[in-house]
Amino acid sequence: MENAFGIPQSVLAIGGASEIAVAVLKAMAGKGLERVVLAGRSRESLASAEAQIRDSGVADVETMEWDVADGRRQESLVDAAFVAGGEFDLVLLSAGVLGSTSAAEAEPNEAIAVMETNYVGPAVVSLAVSQRLKAQGHGVIVLLSSVAAVRPRRANYVYGSSKAGIDFFCRGLAESLAGTGVRIVVVRPGFVHTKMTAGMPEAPFSTTADDVAREVIRGLARKDAVIWTPSILRWVSLVMRHLPLWLWRKVQERES
Amino acid sequence: MQPEEAPATVLLAGWGRATRTAADLVEPLTASGVEAAISDSGLRGVVARGMGRSYGDAALNAGGTVISTLRLDSLSDGGVVAGAGVSLRRLLAHLIPRGTTLPVLPGTAEVSVGGAIAADVHGKNHHVDGAFSEYVESFRLATPGGMINVSREREPQLFNATVGGMGLTGAIVDATLKTEAISSPFVSMDTDRVGDLESLMTLMSEGDERYKFSVAWIDCFARAASLGRGVLQRANYASELPEATLARGESQFERGPRLAPPDLVPTGALRPIAVSAFNEFRYRRSPSREREKLEAFPAFFHPLDVVADWNRLYGRAGFVQYQFVVPYGAEDVVRRVLDEQVRSPSYLAVLKQMGPSSGGMLSFPIEGWTLALDFPVAYEGLGEMLDRFDQWVAEVGGRVYLAKDSRMSSGLVEAMYPRLSEWREVAGGVDPEGVFRSDLSRRLRIKE
């Protein structure tokens, strides 16, 4: 059971080897987290994530191979996870790829992996997971979205559109889950310093995986539906969304 | 008679509103309806729920069945055999015109008889009279194996596993209670305003035995030399009152709550600065020393009952109440807790002394000091702070009150409740398959 602060006892983390997932799970360790199933594509990164979470004091950590890009396999993967693991208090959806906008513009098929990994797979997962959570009468789905979902930019609109899609989808699903005891929390970080963004030019309002974890924990206690990190992005994004197009272009020029 | 309805899946919350889960709610009208609900319950089990005043997740059962006792509302003319869903307020409204009362009244009358037994609640007179269960003669308990008549004499083990057993041995259907004769529904109250914790505890240690009732309100925003300053209210039943006053007192429990905040308060609207100012006002307004003031029962026992749904004041995210008890000799834990919480001060705090435990295996009271603190859930770092308090409390042989808890980890329960293994045996005897369970029992692994 999650406690009054929204801290779960058991977590299924899909994309569990990502730095943000590991940071969130480490931040929950010692606060009541007892059991973690890490799901992901790469055995090696899962093993390293598993070691880190064990080190932080969670004894019961398992790993599971899970490729979120194959949309049609998601339902059976969710079933397998819940049959083997029983109940999960929190399901973290942190699988994602950044892709390359210029590669997709040159070779359109390059965009497919981004869409499948960031939108199609997670959308099917969240539907399948929400059925399971509804049956257990409680639980939280935490979706890692992005500030890139707020307004299209030439630099990352392929990635941004996939995040905008899953962000929208999950907020809609959250509406349909009202009153069932199941909640969906959408997390929108700014630029996070991780492996995924290594070598990229740093954007304003950048943050770290640990900061994201801290804001997630704070937002869970506050029962926020959307968590921005850093939290000032809540207001910055409001401005971003309403800038006239000519000014929004100037902002993008300055960034690149 | 209204027909019994099919269960509906509803979202239920604890009184602190920080824990909410969905369950199939059934509202049986009869004892056999309760038994049917138990046998119809699915894999996720069943638990009974009364007025929903447990702060945390004791009366929640996510994905399972919750039996509302509120329609088990029979009340015999003698006034001592009450359905599990009868509220203490209704019981008092019935008893007081007959010149009797319940010997133990918790801080709100908006609790059910079943809930009062399951949590083995205590009142301002615990140091003299013990817990609610001391005045329970018997009750009928619906279990997966059938209905059991439970009394101290007939079923001593099951009696002591059920009082304070948080509803996990079965569903109480009705109970026979002892009452106490009173000459009037008034108390004669002495008030002392005390400037710091040391003096407050000294005053209580030295004088509480002369009073049937004693409770101290503490201003948790006060720091340094004023740490633990508070207002001590102690009282005995009043006697020999004029007729007019008596008549006024008798109608008091007929009235329900008069005020209710809307369910629109945003998280964090009740600011520490406002509470701090209110506490300052409340402390200053209180007489520094007052003797033998006549106070009617509701104003003395249940001051918060005037406001319905006062829990809404904490906003959407809700609040937690942290109540612990430590044995005499561990006064330092009370001081350290107050000292530590000053950085994110409790909005409401109550200190009192407790007398010896009753026989309840999981009953909260042990002889010593109990402190109850309310905190908004959204306070940064609150979880870690309370985890530290758990350690301190467990180290000295104290415990956290399960009826209030919504956040503790499962690791310390056995240390805090040393009779847990004995309880598990008795509970396993009447409920071998663990049909009775709740979010509390899952979170704290009480039945495992």
Side-chain angles (χ1 to χ4, degrees):
Chain A
M1 291 303 306
E2 53 273 32
N3 70 10
F5 301 112
I7 301 290
Q9 288 176 311
S10 56
V11 174
L12 169 63
I14 301 164
S18 82
E19 282 166 71
I20 293 178
V22 170
V24 168
L25 293 166
K26 280 164 73 177
M28 288 172 171
K31 293 186 167 73
L33 180 61
E34 295 177 349
R35 190 165 63 85
V36 175
V37 175
L38 295 170
R41 266 190 304 200
S42 147
R43 275 168 189 255
E44 298 87 73
S45 12
L46 284 175
S48 132
E50 180 184 354
Q52 291 182 63
I53 291 158
R54 279 188 198 282
D55 283 349
S56 68
V58 182
D60 189 353
V61 187
E62 284 172 50
T63 60
M64 182 175 173
E65 275 193 43
W66 192 311
D67 184 0
V68 84
D70 186 353
R72 297 201 177 275
R73 279 200 61 215
Q74 300 310 304
E75 203 180 341
S76 57
L77 283 166
V78 170
D79 287 346
F82 275 82
V83 168
E87 189 162 334
F88 290 103
D89 304 329
L90 188 147
V91 176
L92 180 61
L93 299 181
S94 48
V97 290
L98 198 51
S100 158
T101 310
S102 52
E105 284 172 350
E107 175 50 69
N109 282 344
E110 288 286 312
I112 296 174
V114 177
M115 295 165 182
E116 287 184 337
T117 309
N118 294 356
Y119 177 72
V120 178
V124 181
V125 168
S126 60
L127 286 170
V129 164
S130 66
Q131 287 178 353
R132 291 279 175 174
L133 298 187
K134 256 164 78 174
Q136 62 184 41
H138 75 107
V140 188
I141 298 173
V142 176
L143 170 79
L144 251 296
S145 177
S146 168
V147 73
V150 170
R151 188 161 185 183
R153 311 149 82 97
R154 72 181 69 147
N156 66 1
Y157 66 87
V158 177
Y159 171 80
S161 75
S162 66
K163 286 298 188 186
I166 192 65
D167 187 302
F168 189 101
F169 186 95
C170 281
R171 282 182 294 133
L173 180 56
E175 290 304 304
S176 123
L177 291 169
T180 63
V182 182
R183 296 193 306 126
I184 301 193
V185 178
V186 172
V187 184
R188 294 184 190 143
F191 182 92
V192 187
H193 293 276
T194 61
K195 268 186 308 203
M196 191 173 91
T197 59
M200 286 173 59
E202 185 179 328
F205 307 108
S206 70
T207 181
T208 63
D210 287 335
D211 283 335
V212 174
R214 204 169 304 126
E215 291 294 339
V216 166
I217 292 208
R218 180 168 171 267
L220 284 173
R222 294 172 50 89
K223 298 186 176 56
D224 288 337
V226 177
I227 297 170
W228 297 88
T229 137
S231 54
I232 190 169
L233 275 180
R234 181 183 298 272
W235 311 113
V236 173
S237 68
L238 200 67
V239 175
M240 266 167 58
R241 200 175 281 150
H242 294 99
L243 284 182
L245 195 55
W246 64 268
L247 193 55
W248 178 235
R249 283 191 180 141
K250 290 247 182 264
V251 172
Q252 292 183 67
E253 275 162 29
R254 283 186 58 126
E255 277 178 15
S256 53
Chain B
M1 199 195 262
Q2 294 173 51
E4 303 199 6
E5 289 149 30
T9 302
V10 293
L11 191 61
L12 297 169
W15 182 244
R17 310 213 312 162
T19 46
R20 289 167 199 253
T21 62
D24 289 340
L25 187 72
V26 281
E27 294 194 87
L29 299 164
T30 58
S32 52
V34 176
E35 290 183 286
I38 295 168
S39 51
D40 289 350
S41 67
L43 285 171
R44 296 185 66 86
V46 62
V47 78
R49 175 184 174 97
M51 302 284 283
R53 287 294 177 126
S54 287
Y55 284 69
D57 45 12
L60 306 178
N61 183 25
T65 303
V66 170
I67 299 174
S68 168
T69 60
L70 294 182
R71 289 161 85 175
L72 301 169
D73 55 359
S74 61
L75 190 55
S76 83
D77 261 353
V80 288
V81 184
V86 172
S87 75
L88 298 196
R89 180 159 70 84
R90 198 175 138 221
L91 206 45
L92 287 170
H94 178 86
L95 293 174
I96 281 173
R98 291 168 173 77
T100 57
T101 185
L102 293 171
V104 170
L105 293 173
T108 171
E110 305 294 335
V111 299
S112 68
V113 167
I117 296 172
D120 198 8
V121 298
H122 57 270
K124 297 170 171 55
N125 56 340
H126 191 275
H127 63 294
V128 178
D129 296 322
F132 195 85
S133 60
E134 310 258 359
Y135 307 92
V136 175
E137 283 189 351
S138 63
F139 48 83
R140 283 197 296 162
L141 187 71
T143 70
M147 194 68 72
I148 309 177
N149 280 304
V150 183
S151 69
R152 254 185 223 85
E153 297 72 34
R154 270 195 305 272
E155 294 277 354
Q157 294 280 73
L158 188 53
F159 184 92
N160 284 324
T162 302
V163 302
M166 302 312 296
L168 296 168
T169 56
I172 295 162
V173 172
D174 49 32
T176 306
L177 306 173
K178 287 180 199 160
T179 58
E180 183 169 66
I182 45 167
S183 56
S184 78
F186 284 83
V187 296
S188 165
M189 179 175 79
D190 291 356
T191 301
D192 292 277
R193 196 169 76 185
V194 191
D196 66 277
L197 184 66
E198 213 64 59
S199 321
L200 180 61
M201 289 176 99
T202 306
L203 193 63
M204 290 170 81
S205 301
E206 287 168 359
D208 273 7
E209 76 230 22
R210 286 184 281 114
Y211 297 92
K212 188 175 173 73
F213 305 103
S214 168
V215 68
W217 165 79
I218 290 182
D219 174 8
C220 283
F221 286 78
R223 292 161 186 258
S226 300
L227 182 81
R229 74 174 182 185
V231 177
L232 177 60
Q233 294 185 326
R234 295 184 289 188
N236 289 304
Y237 286 140
S239 49
E240 292 172 39
L241 295 179
E243 281 297 316
T245 319
L246 276 176
R248 184 157 61 82
E250 280 178 6
S251 63
Q252 304 236 354
F253 285 95
E254 307 284 344
R255 250 182 298 172
R258 273 150 281 176
L259 301 163
D263 193 10
L264 294 166
V265 182
T267 300
L270 196 62
R271 288 282 174 201
I273 189 159
V275 182
S276 171
F278 174 78
N279 282 4
E280 185 72 35
F281 168 74
R282 182 169 166 186
Y283 181 78
R284 300 267 167 225
R285 194 199 50 176
S286 161
S288 64
R289 189 175 190 279
E290 187 180 45
R291 289 292 173 266
E292 296 180 10
K293 180 175 186 257
L294 266 193
E295 193 82 88
F297 272 20
F300 179 71
F301 289 112
H302 311 125
L304 280 176
D305 284 358
V306 181
V307 186
D309 302 324
W310 58 263
N311 55 346
R312 288 178 178 172
L313 291 172
Y314 283 92
R316 173 172 52 90
F319 72 106
V320 294
Q321 185 170 94
Y322 187 72
Q323 183 169 4
F324 67 91
V325 58
V326 289
Y328 289 123
E331 285 76 10
D332 188 48
V333 172
V334 176
R335 161 168 289 281
R336 279 159 70 201
V337 165
L338 280 172
D339 211 30
E340 181 90 359
Q341 61 86 48
V342 158
R343 273 177 281 149
S344 40
S346 160
Y347 284 14
L348 189 67
V350 167
L351 178 70
K352 80 163 268 89
Q353 298 192 83
M354 296 196 125
S357 331
S358 56
M361 295 172 191
L362 301 185
S363 285
F364 168 68
I366 56 170
E367 196 165 22
W369 296 93
T370 180
L371 181 66
L373 304 158
D374 281 6
F375 298 97
V377 146
Y379 258 162
E380 206 114 36
L382 179 60
E384 292 90 322
M385 184 176 82
L386 298 182
D387 287 345
R388 280 199 299 281
F389 294 175
D390 289 344
Q391 296 286 347
W392 301 349
V393 167
E395 270 165 28
V396 297
R399 53 180 57 166
V400 166
Y401 194 177
L402 298 179
K404 307 283 180 82
D405 182 55
S406 59
R407 33 68 44 195
M408 198 162 70
S409 308
S410 58
L412 287 171
V413 182
E414 289 187 33
M416 290 181 176
Y417 289 90
R419 295 181 71 186
L420 186 60
S421 54
E422 186 187 345
W423 179 88
R424 280 176 180 150
E425 250 172 61
V426 181
V430 288
D431 180 18
E433 280 159 46
V435 173
F436 276 85
R437 60 180 90 163
S438 61
D439 289 359
L440 176 86
S441 77
R442 278 192 198 91
R443 182 168 54 81
L444 296 180
R445 313 211 180 290
I446 292 175
K447 292 202 112 173
E448 288 164 32

